[in-house]
Amino acid sequence: MPGLTAKSAIVSHTIRLSGPIEEGDADKLRVILVRLGTTSPQMPNRPLATIELSSAGGDIYEGLKIGYLLREYSVASVVRAKDLCLSACALAFLGGTSSQSGPTFVPSRSIEIGGQVGFHNF
């Protein structure tokens, strides 16, 4: 609307994780999230970033570590239409979080129509 100005800029970051999940990927993601957290203040009750996941899986422990990072840094997870998120990727997907307040968190995980998330026994 004319004449209205935002009190503060809305900061929005998107990270894309695609391909096999391999050892060391969680450490690489942590570096990115630390940098985002120090260069862009997180708005209250909003995720620091959104991560788009597209992977057939890979290292299960890395998938779990990525999921914990998403929760630790309040990163929302999404699987876009036509993307697959299977196995270790699906475990990472579960960590998607929009905000934290004290010991609780607000989940933020979404799958667009046509996207697929798949779990299996390991």
Side-chain angles (χ1 to χ4, degrees), residues 1 3 6-7 13 16 25-26 32 40 47 61 63 65-66 76 82 86 90-91 111 114:
M1 298 181 117
K7 290 183 179 180
H13 303 285
R16 180 138 177 104
D25 284 348
I32 292 168
S40 303
Y61 296 113
K65 288 195 277 187
I66 290 169
K82 299 184 182 179
L86 308 175
L91 295 174
I111 306 166

Side-chain angles (χ1 to χ4, degrees), residues 43-60:
M43 300 195 56
N45 299 318
R46 290 185 177 248
L48 172 66
T50 297
I51 189 163
E52 299 175 341
L53 299 167
S54 179
S55 172
D59 187 311
I60 192 158

Side-chain angles (χ1 to χ4, degrees), residues 10-17 29-30 32-53 69-78 80 93 95-100 106-110:
I10 296 173
V11 179
S12 171
H13 303 285
T14 301
I15 302 165
R16 180 138 177 104
L17 184 150
L29 180 58
R30 180 180 293 279
I32 292 168
L33 295 175
V34 167
R35 186 176 58 220
L36 286 178
T38 57
T39 60
S40 303
Q42 186 173 352
M43 300 195 56
N45 299 318
R46 290 185 177 248
L48 172 66
T50 297
I51 189 163
E52 299 175 341
L53 299 167
L69 280 175
L70 301 184
R71 187 168 293 179
E72 179 181 345
Y73 286 91
S74 295
V75 177
S77 58
V78 62
R80 299 284 183 204
F93 171 79
T97 306
S98 66
S99 68
Q100 295 180 345
V106 178
S108 180
R109 302 178 284 266
S110 58

